[in-house]
């Protein structure tokens, strides 16, 4: 294949290099990873010169290349960049580069494919955080301006089967980490070797799910939180998805394997007529030479740099769910509100149960008006009391869902997403509303808009409690069309429209606790409810791994009652407090059942949260690599390194009697520090007689300890009883 001498583009940011050779017929990525420094034209040419591998025996006669749009035309036998057909033909795309422009950290490639008749635009943006975002836009163009739209064109739509955004990885990346999970055990890590073949994660729930891949990471074997070279991918999309890491014996050009992602499209879901277009989900690729903390740091920086990132101190929240469930009695809720205000709560959220017919979870979804029997005077008396205390008022909604036992379902059965032959089974007694239906969408916007305006709602807890099984939009004569893509876009439009009308409104992505945690929904929401599980033993893990993508201020973390409602485990107050402290903290408990002493202690914790949230919500998240899986040491270090908070936690007993010298991650070994124990949230029960000596001293004040000891040699940490945690504060002197 003839190829011209190519121009080479080099994007650099925050220690990352991305080098693309703008060759003919297609560009290829020469390098994505560690910063290669300031490269001259000759240096870049040398990179290009060394970008071809060997011609293998019994193989294509040109060295295989891995391009930005890999197809079979290159001899590529892995997952192609796109698949589709036009009425059964045009199945072998062969795009060519038609234009390229670069500037301001961005490289835009224009490709045209005569076979499929599609124009493709790839936008690579290396963000200041070092995260490389890739946007893919596909258009089926109108052939000539001014002509009849379809003149001269095959009128059959182009059925887009799959679009996968792919980037190459070096052969040394041989270990894979991603996530799975279930309700109340979200983001459970799974790790193993990157074997030959495809590691594919397909999400068919119409939401990322409790078992979402979350962040697909491949690294040099042995990578940890603090060290190792790692490459990761997040697909920023809330509908169906496909993520993969793929390794073949002949590699991908000179690279060893590939990382890719996109939307999982149903057959026939995207059919492009002339003039139509499709945008694939934004794929966020991230590299770090500093382990998983390095990856997390880049994502946190990316998110914090957004103009709409929540900037105000994250209000201490009380959510009513585990306090009252469906028992909505005004006097009880007013009492709860008063007690919340007295201990310093700043936002009160009225959870499920307030709307028409909603006395339990079998009825009412869809009828977004206040239940007149339970709330004869509307929500005003509660909203006014909340606002009167200077608190924000939040309300639970689940706009995308409907119970068959509702006025909405009775009046608009055609608005329900599901096949014409009859709806399938319910889930949590509910079905999905077709948000892409213009009338359903308009109804939701009007209902929510009215509520927000009437009650001065500051915050919506936006739930979504079921998968989108058989997510088809009903059509005349049984011509049902796949609807998950349109549903996802419809929800995004709804969120955007509400934010536009109410710029100060904050929205939480809840979804059964943690089933819609993605950067697509977070582009228009302000935090996630990470899990319905408030049991701190479980929560330590859920928050740790949710934090792999999201900074603490976006992760809702609430203190529950002594006995967890979801696991039945009883835990000490201080462990619950310290676990919830490291997120956007709140309370999920019936304060009317707490003694004055308990409320007093809760108030001290609230004050502690308010004192330290500026640090927790702006600093770098650090996690120590420990041999003992039953212990966790994590913290947040201020950007300037001058202050830090650490949580030393034990979830279970373990064989080692003591941790021994342990390094506090993220500190400067050359700096001088002092350390103290913070006891406002209580102190842990210890599984030891006494010591270590520095800890005993730090219980009553600052203890000077140099960085050489804290971050270099390490300090012995006390042995905690199971389900206990300790809070350490460090500051530079
Ligand atoms: C699921 C959520 O995760 C809970 O916090 C609560 O809001 C319930 N739904 C209410 O139905």
């Amino acid at each position: 294949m003839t190829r011209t001498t190519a121009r080479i583009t080099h994007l650099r940011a925050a220690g990352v290099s991305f080098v693309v050779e703008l060759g003919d017929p297609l560009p290829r990525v020469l390098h994505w990873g560690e910063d290669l420094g300031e490269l001259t034209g000759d240096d870049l040419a040398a990179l290009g010169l060394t970008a071809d591998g060997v011609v293998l025996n019994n193989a294509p006669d040109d060295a295989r290349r891995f391009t930005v749009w890999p197809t079979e035309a290159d001899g590529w036998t892995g997952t192609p960049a796109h698949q589709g057909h036009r009425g059964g033909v045009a199945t072998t795309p062969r795009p060519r580069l038609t234009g390229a422009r670069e500037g301001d950290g961005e490289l835009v490639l224009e490709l045209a494919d005569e076979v499929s008749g599609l124009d493709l635009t790839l936008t690579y943006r290396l963000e200041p955080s070092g995260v490389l975002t890739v946007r893919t836009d596909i258009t089926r163009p109108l052939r000539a301006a001014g002509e009849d739209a379809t003149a001269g064109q095959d009128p059959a739509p182009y059925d887009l089967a799959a679009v996968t955004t792919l980037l190459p990885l070096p052969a040394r990346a041989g270990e894979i980490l991603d996530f799975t999970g279930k309700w109340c055990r979200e983001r459970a890590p799974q790790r193993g070797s990157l074997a030959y073949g495809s590691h594919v994660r397909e999400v068919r729930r119409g939401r990322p799910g409790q078992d979402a891949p979350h962040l697909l990471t491949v690294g040099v074997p042995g990578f940890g939180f603090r060290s190792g070279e790692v490459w990761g991918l997040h697909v920023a999309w809330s509908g169906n998805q496909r993520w993969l890491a793929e390794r073949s014996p002949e590699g991908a050009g000179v690279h060893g394997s590939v990382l890719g992602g996109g939307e999982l499209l149903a057959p026939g879901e995207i059919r492009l007529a002339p003039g139509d277009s499709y945008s694939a989900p934004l794929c966020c690729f991230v590299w770090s030479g500093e382990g998983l903390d390095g990856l997390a740091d880049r994502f946190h920086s990316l998110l914090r740099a957004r103009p709409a990132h929540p900037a105000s101190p994250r209000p201490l929240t009380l959510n009513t769910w585990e306090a009252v469930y469906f028992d909505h009695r005004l006097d009880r809720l007013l009492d709860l509100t008063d007690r919340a205000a007295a201990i310093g709560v700043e936002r009160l959220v009225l959870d499920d149960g307030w709307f028409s017919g909603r006395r339990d979870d079998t009825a009412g979804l869809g009828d977004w008006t206040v239940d007149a029997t339970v709330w004869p005077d509307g929500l005003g008396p509660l909203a006014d009391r909340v606002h009167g205390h200077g608190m924000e008022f939040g309300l639970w909604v689940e706009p995308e869902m409907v119970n068959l036992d509702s006025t909405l379902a009775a009046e608009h059965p055609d608005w329900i997403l599901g096949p014409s032959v009859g709806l399938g089974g319910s889930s949590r007694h509910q079905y999905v509303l077709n948000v892409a239906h213009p009338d359903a969408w308009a109804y939701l916007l009007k209902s929510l808009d009215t509520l927000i305006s009437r009650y001065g709602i500051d915050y919506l807890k936006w739930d979504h409690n079921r998968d989108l099984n058989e997510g088809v939009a009903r059509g005349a004569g049984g011509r049902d069309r796949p609807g998950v893509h349109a549903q996802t876009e419809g929800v995004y439009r709804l969120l955007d429209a509400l934010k536009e009308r109410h710029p100060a409104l904050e929205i939480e992505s809840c979804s059964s606790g943690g089933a819609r945690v993605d950067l697509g929904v977070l582009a228009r929401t302000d935090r996630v409810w990470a899990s319905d599980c408030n049991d701190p033993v479980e929560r330590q893990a859920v928050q740790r791994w949710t934090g792999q993508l999201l900074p603490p201020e976006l992760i809702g973390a609430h203190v529950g009652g002594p006995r967890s409602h979801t696991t039945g485990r009883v835990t000490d107050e201080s462990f619950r407090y310290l676990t919830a402290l490291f997120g956007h903290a709140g309370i999920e408990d019936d304060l009317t059942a707490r003694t004055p002493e308990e409320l007093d202690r809760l108030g001290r914790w609230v004050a502690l949260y308010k004192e330290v949230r500026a640090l927790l919500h702006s600093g770098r998240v650090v996690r120590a690599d420990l041999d003992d899986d039953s212990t966790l040491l994590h913290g947040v270090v201020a950007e300037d390194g001058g202050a830090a908070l650490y949580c030393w936690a034990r979830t279970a007993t373990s064989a080692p009697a003591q941790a021994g010298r342990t390094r506090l991650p993220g500190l400067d070994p050359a700096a001088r520090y002092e350390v103290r124990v913070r006891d406002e949230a209580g102190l842990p029960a210890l599984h030891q007689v006494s010591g270590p000596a520095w800890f005993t001293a730090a219980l009553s004040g600052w203890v000077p300890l140099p960085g050489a000891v804290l971050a270099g040699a390490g300090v012995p940490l006390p042995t905690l009883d199971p389900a206990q945690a300790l809070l350490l504060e460090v500051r530079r002197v």
Side-chain angles (χ1 to χ4, degrees), residues 321 351-352 358 396 428 461 463 465 510 512-513 529 532:
W321 182 239
D351 207 289
D352 196 356
R358 188 68 165 176
W396 180 96
R428 207 194 186 212
K461 174 176 178 175
D463 216 336
N465 280 300
C510 171
S512 328
W529 178 230
D532 272 356

Side-chain angles (χ1 to χ4, degrees), residues 451-721:
L451 284 163
I452 295 165
S453 302
R454 178 165 308 155
Y455 296 115
I457 290 168
D458 304 287
Y459 175 85
L460 289 178
K461 174 176 178 175
W462 189 294
D463 216 336
H464 180 283
N465 280 300
R466 70 160 287 174
D467 295 340
L468 274 57
N469 312 120
E470 297 185 304
V472 291
R474 260 168 284 170
R479 294 174 65 82
D480 306 334
R481 298 270 301 122
V484 176
H485 177 83
Q487 177 82 359
T488 311
E489 288 194 324
V491 175
Y492 286 174
R493 274 189 289 112
L494 187 57
L495 290 163
D496 291 343
L498 286 169
K499 286 274 192 166
E500 201 183 314
R501 288 178 184 210
H502 305 278
L505 176 74
E506 292 198 8
I507 303 179
E508 174 185 72
S509 173
C510 171
S511 199
S512 328
R516 189 150 64 183
V517 175
D518 66 82
L519 298 191
V521 81
L522 272 163
R524 55 263 301 167
T525 54
D526 304 279
R527 70 170 219 171
V528 300
W529 178 230
S531 174
D532 272 356
C533 186
N534 293 322
D535 175 343
V537 173
E538 305 294 331
R539 263 281 174 165
Q540 282 284 338
V542 171
Q543 287 174 203
R544 156 168 286 203
W545 292 113
T546 304
Q548 187 57 47
L549 187 67
L550 305 185
E553 63 270 25
L554 297 185
I555 304 175
H558 294 179
V559 173
R563 183 183 174 91
S564 164
H565 291 208
T566 54
T567 65
R569 189 187 274 128
V570 175
T571 51
D572 279 359
E573 203 172 76
S574 63
F575 190 31
R576 283 179 276 128
Y577 288 165
L578 290 185
T579 301
L581 187 73
F582 282 81
H584 176 184
I587 300 166
E588 193 92 11
D589 191 22
D590 182 6
L591 300 186
T592 65
R594 297 283 154 248
T595 64
E597 295 72 32
E598 284 173 321
L599 289 175
D600 202 43
R601 291 198 295 273
L602 197 51
R604 279 210 295 279
W605 169 76
V606 168
L608 173 67
Y609 168 74
K610 290 179 183 174
E611 179 198 325
V612 298
R613 65 185 161 188
L615 165 63
L616 293 177
H617 298 167
S618 66
R620 295 198 144 136
V621 171
V622 294
R623 296 161 294 182
D625 292 297
L626 304 177
D627 290 334
D628 183 349
D629 286 344
S630 302
T631 56
L632 299 97
L633 175 63
H634 61 91
V636 176
V637 181
E639 274 290 333
D640 68 359
L645 275 175
Y646 291 94
C647 176
W648 166 236
R650 170 175 286 283
T651 53
T653 63
S654 56
Q658 57 176 313
R661 282 193 183 274
T662 306
R663 292 171 168 170
L664 299 192
L667 298 179
D668 177 3
R672 306 205 73 79
Y673 297 98
E674 53 189 8
V675 186
R676 67 173 171 169
V677 171
R678 295 298 300 255
D679 63 2
E680 293 86 338
L683 289 170
L686 301 176
H687 195 74
Q688 58 176 39
V689 175
S690 63
W694 75 268
F695 163 69
T696 310
L699 283 167
S700 44
W702 291 105
V703 176
L705 287 170
V709 172
L710 286 176
V715 288
L717 292 169
T719 305
L720 309 184
D721 271 342

Side-chain angles (χ1 to χ4, degrees), residues 7-11 22 100-108:
R7 198 154 59 85
I8 297 176
T9 293
H10 185 189
L11 303 182
L22 303 176
R101 40 180 207 282
E102 58 181 284
D104 198 21
E106 206 169 82
L107 170 66
V108 182

Side-chain angles (χ1 to χ4, degrees), residues 158-334:
Y158 185 86
D159 272 291
L160 197 59
V163 179
T164 309
T165 306
L166 294 152
L167 279 188
L169 302 178
R172 63 183 180 278
E175 189 175 2
I176 187 165
L177 163 73
D178 68 359
F179 298 86
T180 183
K182 59 174 182 174
W183 181 70
C184 284
R185 186 76 159 88
E186 292 77 12
R187 284 162 288 290
Q190 50 181 5
R191 215 171 151 145
S193 295
L194 179 63
Y196 289 107
S198 304
H199 174 89
V200 180
R201 298 292 307 278
E202 293 193 335
V203 175
R204 296 176 186 277
R205 301 177 182 281
R207 58 175 175 168
Q210 259 110 357
D211 60 341
H214 189 53
L215 180 67
L216 178 56
T217 304
V218 186
V220 176
F223 62 84
F225 287 118
R226 303 299 300 163
S227 65
E229 201 180 6
V230 275
W231 292 257
L233 163 68
H234 173 77
V235 179
W237 183 243
S238 312
N240 288 335
Q241 308 157 10
R242 194 157 183 273
W243 311 48
L244 59 90
E246 206 165 59
R247 186 179 182 196
S248 74
E250 69 256 31
V254 282
H255 312 282
S257 59
V258 300
L259 198 55
E263 183 175 8
L264 181 73
L265 295 171
E269 184 159 21
I270 302 293
R271 316 192 81 197
L272 300 176
D276 285 350
S277 58
Y278 167 80
S279 293
L282 189 75
C283 286
C284 303
F285 291 89
V286 60
W287 170 87
S288 171
E290 295 175 345
L292 295 167
D293 278 359
L295 287 190
D297 201 37
R298 292 194 189 283
F299 275 116
H300 298 178
S301 306
L302 175 82
L303 291 164
R304 285 173 172 167
R306 301 172 304 163
H309 190 73
S312 63
R314 300 292 70 215
L316 194 292
T317 299
L318 185 136
N319 185 53
T320 63
W321 182 239
E322 290 196 1
V324 302
Y325 291 103
F326 290 104
D327 183 13
H328 283 201
R329 275 176 289 145
L330 182 61
D331 54 349
R332 186 175 177 196
L333 286 162
L334 290 178

